[in-house]
Amino acid sequence: MQAYAWIAMPAEAGSAQSVKNRDQLLEILTPSQQQAARALAAEYAAQYGVNPH
C-alpha cells in the first residue's frame, strides 16, 4: 500500500511510467487494499502538498 501511495504522486504529475506502475499495483490489490492505499496516498498528498487523485 505504501508503494501505491508513493507512486500516486508522480503519476498524478504526469509521469507515464508512474501511471503504468500505479495501474499495475491496483490490479494486484484487493478492493479493500485499494481503498486503504488511496487513503494513504491522500494522507501523503496532504502532508507533502500533492493531489493523489
Side-chain angles (χ1 to χ4, degrees):
M1 286 178 270
Q2 283 192 357
Y4 176 88
W6 285 115
I7 203 70
M9 289 184 273
E12 289 302 315
S15 168
Q17 185 63 48
S18 296
V19 169
K20 180 180 175 183
N21 293 343
R22 181 196 61 196
D23 293 347
Q24 287 175 333
L25 282 169
L26 286 174
E27 289 178 14
I28 62 172
L29 296 174
T30 66
S32 63
Q33 289 172 323
Q34 289 176 15
Q35 183 178 14
R38 286 185 172 115
L40 185 58
E43 184 180 316
Y44 285 1
Q47 183 175 354
Y48 298 106
V50 179
N51 183 358
H53 302 288

Coordinates of all heavy atoms in Angstrom, one line a residue:
M1 N 0.8 -1.2 0.0 CA 0.0 0.0 0.0 C 0.9 1.3 0.0 O 0.5 2.2 -0.6 CB -1.0 0.0 1.2 CG -2.1 -1.0 0.9 SD -3.3 -1.1 2.3 CE -2.5 -2.4 3.2
Q2 N 2.0 1.2 0.7 CA 2.9 2.3 0.6 C 3.4 2.6 -0.8 O 3.6 3.7 -1.2 CB 4.0 2.2 1.6 CG 3.6 2.4 3.0 CD 4.8 2.5 4.0 OE1 5.9 2.4 3.6 NE2 4.5 2.8 5.2
A3 N 3.7 1.5 -1.5 CA 4.2 1.6 -2.9 C 3.1 2.4 -3.7 O 3.5 3.3 -4.4 CB 4.4 0.3 -3.5
Y4 N 1.9 2.1 -3.5 CA 0.8 2.9 -4.3 C 0.8 4.3 -3.8 O 0.8 5.2 -4.7 CB -0.6 2.3 -4.0 CG -1.6 3.1 -4.7 CD1 -2.0 2.9 -6.0 CD2 -2.2 4.2 -4.0 CE1 -2.9 3.7 -6.6 CE2 -3.2 4.9 -4.6 CZ -3.5 4.7 -5.9 OH -4.4 5.5 -6.6
A5 N 0.9 4.5 -2.5 CA 0.9 5.9 -2.0 C 2.0 6.8 -2.6 O 1.8 7.9 -3.0 CB 0.9 5.9 -0.5
W6 N 3.2 6.2 -2.7 CA 4.3 6.9 -3.2 C 4.3 7.1 -4.7 O 4.7 8.1 -5.3 CB 5.7 6.3 -2.8 CG 6.0 6.6 -1.4 CD1 6.0 5.6 -0.4 CD2 6.2 7.8 -0.8 NE1 6.3 6.3 0.8 CE2 6.5 7.6 0.6 CE3 6.3 9.1 -1.2 CZ2 6.7 8.6 1.5 CZ3 6.6 10.2 -0.3 CH2 6.8 9.9 1.0
I7 N 3.8 6.1 -5.5 CA 3.8 6.2 -6.9 C 2.6 7.0 -7.4 O 2.6 7.6 -8.5 CB 3.7 4.7 -7.5 CG1 4.2 4.8 -9.0 CG2 2.3 4.2 -7.5 CD1 5.7 5.0 -9.1
A8 N 1.6 7.2 -6.6 CA 0.4 8.1 -7.0 C 0.8 9.5 -7.2 O 0.3 10.1 -8.1 CB -0.6 8.0 -5.9
M9 N 1.8 10.0 -6.5 CA 2.2 11.4 -6.6 C 2.8 11.7 -8.0 O 2.3 12.6 -8.7 CB 3.0 11.9 -5.5 CG 2.2 12.0 -4.2 SD 3.2 12.7 -2.8 CE 3.9 11.2 -2.1
P10 N 3.8 11.0 -8.4 CA 4.4 11.2 -9.7 C 3.4 10.8 -10.9 O 3.4 11.4 -11.9 CB 5.7 10.4 -9.8 CG 5.6 9.4 -8.7 CD 4.7 10.0 -7.7
A11 N 2.5 9.9 -10.6 CA 1.5 9.5 -11.6 C 0.6 10.7 -11.9 O 0.3 11.0 -13.0 CB 0.8 8.3 -11.1
E12 N 0.2 11.3 -10.8 CA -0.7 12.5 -10.9 C 0.0 13.7 -11.6 O -0.6 14.5 -12.2 CB -1.3 12.9 -9.6 CG -2.4 11.9 -9.1 CD -3.5 11.7 -10.1 OE1 -4.0 12.7 -10.7 OE2 -3.9 10.5 -10.4
A13 N 1.3 13.7 -11.4 CA 2.1 14.8 -12.0 C 2.4 14.5 -13.5 O 2.9 15.4 -14.2 CB 3.4 14.9 -11.3
G14 N 1.9 13.4 -14.0 CA 2.0 13.1 -15.4 C 3.1 12.1 -15.9 O 3.3 11.9 -17.1
S15 N 3.8 11.5 -14.9 CA 4.8 10.5 -15.3 C 4.2 9.3 -15.9 O 3.5 8.5 -15.2 CB 5.7 10.2 -14.1 OG 6.5 9.0 -14.3
A16 N 4.4 9.0 -17.2 CA 3.8 7.9 -17.8 C 4.2 6.6 -17.2 O 3.4 5.7 -17.0 CB 4.2 7.9 -19.3
Q17 N 5.4 6.4 -16.8 CA 5.9 5.2 -16.2 C 5.2 5.0 -14.8 O 4.8 3.9 -14.4 CB 7.4 5.1 -16.0 CG 7.9 3.8 -15.5 CD 7.6 2.6 -16.4 OE1 7.9 2.7 -17.6 NE2 7.1 1.6 -15.8
S18 N 5.0 6.1 -14.1 CA 4.4 6.0 -12.8 C 2.9 5.7 -12.9 O 2.4 4.9 -12.1 CB 4.5 7.4 -12.0 OG 5.9 7.6 -11.8
V19 N 2.3 6.1 -14.0 CA 0.9 5.8 -14.2 C 0.8 4.3 -14.5 O -0.1 3.6 -13.9 CB 0.3 6.6 -15.4 CG1 -1.0 6.0 -15.8 CG2 0.2 8.0 -15.0
K20 N 1.7 3.8 -15.3 CA 1.7 2.3 -15.6 C 1.9 1.5 -14.3 O 1.2 0.6 -14.1 CB 2.8 2.0 -16.6 CG 2.9 0.6 -17.0 CD 4.0 0.4 -18.0 CE 4.3 -1.1 -18.3 NZ 5.4 -1.3 -19.2
N21 N 2.9 1.9 -13.5 CA 3.2 1.2 -12.3 C 2.0 1.3 -11.3 O 1.7 0.3 -10.7 CB 4.4 1.8 -11.6 CG 5.7 1.5 -12.4 OD1 5.7 0.7 -13.3 ND2 6.7 2.2 -12.1
R22 N 1.4 2.4 -11.2 CA 0.2 2.6 -10.3 C -0.9 1.7 -10.7 O -1.5 1.0 -9.9 CB -0.2 4.1 -10.3 CG -1.4 4.3 -9.4 CD -2.1 5.6 -9.7 NE -2.6 5.6 -11.1 CZ -2.9 6.7 -11.7 NH1 -2.9 7.9 -11.2 NH2 -3.4 6.6 -13.0
D23 N -1.2 1.6 -12.0 CA -2.2 0.8 -12.5 C -1.9 -0.7 -12.3 O -2.9 -1.5 -12.0 CB -2.5 1.1 -14.0 CG -3.1 2.5 -14.2 OD1 -3.5 3.1 -13.2 OD2 -3.1 2.9 -15.4
Q24 N -0.7 -1.1 -12.4 CA -0.3 -2.5 -12.2 C -0.5 -2.8 -10.7 O -1.0 -3.9 -10.4 CB 1.1 -2.7 -12.6 CG 1.3 -2.8 -14.1 CD 2.8 -2.9 -14.5 OE1 3.7 -2.5 -13.8 NE2 3.0 -3.5 -15.7
L25 N -0.2 -1.9 -9.8 CA -0.4 -2.1 -8.4 C -1.9 -2.3 -8.1 O -2.3 -3.2 -7.3 CB 0.2 -1.0 -7.6 CG 1.7 -1.0 -7.4 CD1 2.1 0.4 -6.8 CD2 2.1 -2.1 -6.5
L26 N -2.7 -1.5 -8.7 CA -4.1 -1.6 -8.5 C -4.7 -3.0 -8.9 O -5.6 -3.5 -8.3 CB -4.9 -0.5 -9.2 CG -4.8 0.9 -8.6 CD1 -5.4 1.9 -9.4 CD2 -5.3 0.9 -7.2
E27 N -4.1 -3.6 -9.9 CA -4.6 -4.9 -10.4 C -4.3 -6.0 -9.4 O -5.1 -7.0 -9.3 CB -3.9 -5.2 -11.7 CG -4.3 -4.4 -12.9 CD -3.6 -4.7 -14.2 OE1 -2.9 -5.8 -14.2 OE2 -3.7 -4.0 -15.1
I28 N -3.3 -5.8 -8.6 CA -3.0 -6.9 -7.6 C -3.5 -6.7 -6.2 O -3.5 -7.6 -5.4 CB -1.4 -7.2 -7.6 CG1 -0.7 -6.0 -7.0 CG2 -0.9 -7.6 -8.9 CD1 0.8 -6.2 -6.8
L29 N -4.0 -5.5 -6.0 CA -4.6 -5.2 -4.7 C -6.1 -5.6 -4.6 O -6.8 -5.4 -5.6 CB -4.5 -3.7 -4.3 CG -3.0 -3.2 -4.1 CD1 -3.0 -1.7 -4.0 CD2 -2.3 -3.9 -3.0
T30 N -6.6 -6.1 -3.5 CA -8.0 -6.3 -3.3 C -8.7 -5.0 -3.2 O -8.1 -3.9 -2.9 CB -8.2 -7.1 -2.1 OG1 -7.9 -6.3 -0.9 CG2 -7.5 -8.4 -2.1
P31 N -10.0 -4.9 -3.4 CA -10.7 -3.7 -3.2 C -10.5 -3.0 -1.9 O -10.3 -1.8 -1.8 CB -12.2 -4.1 -3.4 CG -12.1 -5.2 -4.3 CD -10.9 -6.0 -3.9
S32 N -10.4 -3.7 -0.8 CA -10.2 -3.1 0.5 C -8.7 -2.6 0.6 O -8.5 -1.5 1.2 CB -10.5 -4.1 1.6 OG -9.6 -5.2 1.6
Q33 N -7.8 -3.3 0.0 CA -6.4 -2.8 -0.1 C -6.3 -1.5 -0.9 O -5.6 -0.6 -0.6 CB -5.5 -3.9 -0.6 CG -5.3 -5.0 0.4 CD -4.5 -6.2 -0.3 OE1 -4.6 -6.5 -1.4 NE2 -3.6 -6.8 0.5
Q34 N -7.1 -1.5 -2.0 CA -7.1 -0.3 -2.9 C -7.6 0.9 -2.1 O -7.0 2.0 -2.2 CB -8.0 -0.6 -4.1 CG -7.4 -1.5 -5.1 CD -8.3 -1.8 -6.3 OE1 -9.3 -1.0 -6.5 NE2 -8.0 -2.8 -7.0
Q35 N -8.6 0.7 -1.3 CA -9.2 1.8 -0.6 C -8.2 2.3 0.5 O -8.0 3.5 0.6 CB -10.5 1.3 0.1 CG -11.2 2.4 0.9 CD -12.5 1.9 1.5 OE1 -12.7 0.7 1.6 NE2 -13.3 2.8 2.0
A36 N -7.5 1.4 1.1 CA -6.5 1.7 2.1 C -5.3 2.4 1.5 O -4.8 3.4 2.0 CB -6.1 0.5 2.9
A37 N -4.9 2.0 0.3 CA -3.8 2.6 -0.4 C -4.2 4.0 -0.9 O -3.4 4.9 -0.8 CB -3.5 1.7 -1.6
R38 N -5.4 4.2 -1.4 CA -5.8 5.5 -1.8 C -5.9 6.5 -0.6 O -5.5 7.6 -0.7 CB -7.1 5.4 -2.5 CG -7.0 4.8 -3.9 CD -8.3 4.9 -4.7 NE -8.1 4.5 -6.0 CZ -8.6 3.4 -6.6 NH1 -9.4 2.6 -5.9 NH2 -8.3 3.1 -7.9
A39 N -6.4 5.9 0.5 CA -6.4 6.8 1.8 C -5.0 7.2 2.2 O -4.8 8.3 2.6 CB -7.1 6.0 2.9
L40 N -4.1 6.2 2.1 CA -2.7 6.5 2.5 C -2.1 7.6 1.5 O -1.4 8.5 1.9 CB -1.9 5.3 2.5 CG -0.4 5.4 3.0 CD1 -0.3 6.0 4.4 CD2 0.3 4.1 2.9
A41 N -2.4 7.4 0.2 CA -1.9 8.3 -0.8 C -2.5 9.7 -0.5 O -1.7 10.7 -0.6 CB -2.3 7.9 -2.2
A42 N -3.7 9.8 -0.1 CA -4.3 11.1 0.2 C -3.6 11.7 1.4 O -3.4 12.9 1.5 CB -5.8 11.0 0.5
E43 N -3.3 10.9 2.4 CA -2.6 11.4 3.6 C -1.2 11.9 3.2 O -0.8 13.0 3.7 CB -2.4 10.2 4.6 CG -1.8 10.6 5.9 CD -1.7 9.4 6.8 OE1 -2.7 8.6 6.9 OE2 -0.6 9.2 7.4
Y44 N -0.5 11.2 2.4 CA 0.8 11.6 1.9 C 0.7 12.9 1.2 O 1.5 13.8 1.3 CB 1.5 10.6 1.1 CG 2.1 9.4 1.8 CD1 1.9 9.2 3.2 CD2 2.7 8.3 1.1 CE1 2.5 8.1 3.8 CE2 3.2 7.2 1.8 CZ 3.1 7.1 3.1 OH 3.6 6.0 3.8
A45 N -0.3 13.0 0.3 CA -0.5 14.2 -0.5 C -0.8 15.4 0.4 O -0.2 16.5 0.1 CB -1.7 14.0 -1.5
A46 N -1.6 15.2 1.4 CA -1.8 16.3 2.3 C -0.6 16.7 3.0 O -0.3 17.9 3.2 CB -2.9 15.9 3.3
Q47 N 0.2 15.8 3.4 CA 1.5 16.1 4.1 C 2.5 16.8 3.2 O 3.2 17.7 3.6 CB 2.1 14.8 4.6 CG 3.3 15.0 5.5 CD 3.8 13.7 6.1 OE1 3.2 12.7 6.0 NE2 5.0 13.8 6.7
Y48 N 2.5 16.3 1.9 CA 3.6 16.8 1.0 C 3.0 17.8 0.0 O 3.7 18.3 -0.9 CB 4.3 15.7 0.3 CG 5.0 14.8 1.3 CD1 4.5 13.6 1.6 CD2 6.2 15.2 1.9 CE1 5.2 12.7 2.6 CE2 6.8 14.5 2.9 CZ 6.3 13.2 3.2 OH 6.9 12.4 4.1
G49 N 1.7 18.1 0.0 CA 1.1 19.1 -0.8 C 0.9 18.7 -2.3 O 0.9 19.5 -3.1
V50 N 0.6 17.4 -2.5 CA 0.3 16.9 -3.8 C -1.0 16.2 -3.8 O -1.3 15.4 -2.9 CB 1.4 15.9 -4.3 CG1 1.2 15.4 -5.7 CG2 2.8 16.6 -4.2
N51 N -1.8 16.4 -4.9 CA -3.1 15.7 -5.0 C -2.9 14.3 -5.6 O -2.4 14.2 -6.7 CB -4.0 16.5 -5.9 CG -5.4 15.9 -6.0 OD1 -5.7 14.9 -5.5 ND2 -6.3 16.6 -6.8
P52 N -3.3 13.2 -4.9 CA -3.0 11.9 -5.3 C -4.1 11.4 -6.3 O -4.0 10.3 -6.8 CB -3.1 11.1 -4.1 CG -4.1 11.8 -3.2 CD -3.9 13.2 -3.5
H53 N -5.2 12.1 -6.5 CA -6.2 11.6 -7.4 C -6.5 12.5 -8.6 O -6.6 13.6 -8.7 CB -7.5 11.4 -6.6 CG -7.3 10.5 -5.5 ND1 -7.1 9.1 -5.6 CD2 -7.2 10.7 -4.1 CE1 -6.9 8.5 -4.4 NE2 -7.0 9.5 -3.5

